[in-house]
Amino acid sequence: MGVGTNLKRLRSKTKFSQQEIADMLGLDRNTYTNWENETTDIKSQYIPKLAEIFNVKIQDLFDSERRLEISNNTFDNKDNSVGLIIFNISDKEVISSFNSKLEELINSLKK
């Protein structure tokens, strides 16, 4: 996953349009679009501002590691209620693999 993919993912999470990001940076939308499409490199002067806009560390803009984020939102189970786990997976290949493994696990528990 390259920086362009990360920009798209982060922009999608924040619900900003390409035009809104470009406006915040004082750029033409085509310049920002080229960064997302990885047809041109991001000028270093814009990197801290991008991190600020997306509320991430600068390193997160360039992180190419596939991630699987797991949040375990628990609540008081005194009444035998079930806990809730939220999976936030940002890579299609990881999603596919995860779904297969989860399905295998569920099927094995049914036996």
Side-chain angles (χ1 to χ4, degrees):
M1 196 168 19
V3 67
T5 303
N6 287 339
L7 289 176
K8 286 178 193 175
R9 178 180 50 80
L10 291 166
R11 185 173 55 80
S12 174
K13 284 175 82 173
T14 61
K15 308 282 192 234
F16 288 127
S17 69
Q18 289 179 332
Q19 185 64 58
E20 288 171 320
I21 300 292
D23 290 345
M24 286 184 246
L25 296 169
L27 298 169
D28 182 71
R29 185 188 60 79
N30 289 331
T31 300
Y32 180 79
T33 300
N34 288 338
W35 294 350
E36 281 194 4
N37 294 330
E38 298 182 13
T39 54
T40 59
D41 291 331
I42 302 170
K43 292 187 178 181
S44 60
Q45 69 196 54
Y46 295 104
I47 293 170
K49 183 66 176 168
L50 283 165
E52 181 182 319
I53 289 168
F54 294 124
N55 195 28
V56 297
K57 297 176 188 170
I58 290 174
Q59 171 186 338
D60 295 335
L61 297 174
F62 299 94
D63 189 1
S64 63
E65 180 181 316
R66 292 182 179 158
R67 292 178 178 247
L68 169 63
E69 297 175 24
I70 302 174
S71 300
N72 186 359
N73 297 326
T74 59
F75 33 85
D76 187 358
N77 288 331
K78 290 180 183 173
D79 63 352
N80 293 325
S81 57
V82 178
L84 173 66
I85 298 175
I86 300 171
F87 296 92
N88 181 7
I89 306 170
S90 60
D91 185 279
K92 289 182 181 182
E93 289 176 36
V94 175
I95 292 169
S96 178
S97 175
F98 179 79
N99 284 340
S100 294
K101 297 293 182 187
L102 185 58
E103 189 174 314
E104 286 174 25
L105 175 63
I106 291 169
N107 288 334
S108 72
L109 292 172
K110 289 180 181 178
K111 294 179 182 178

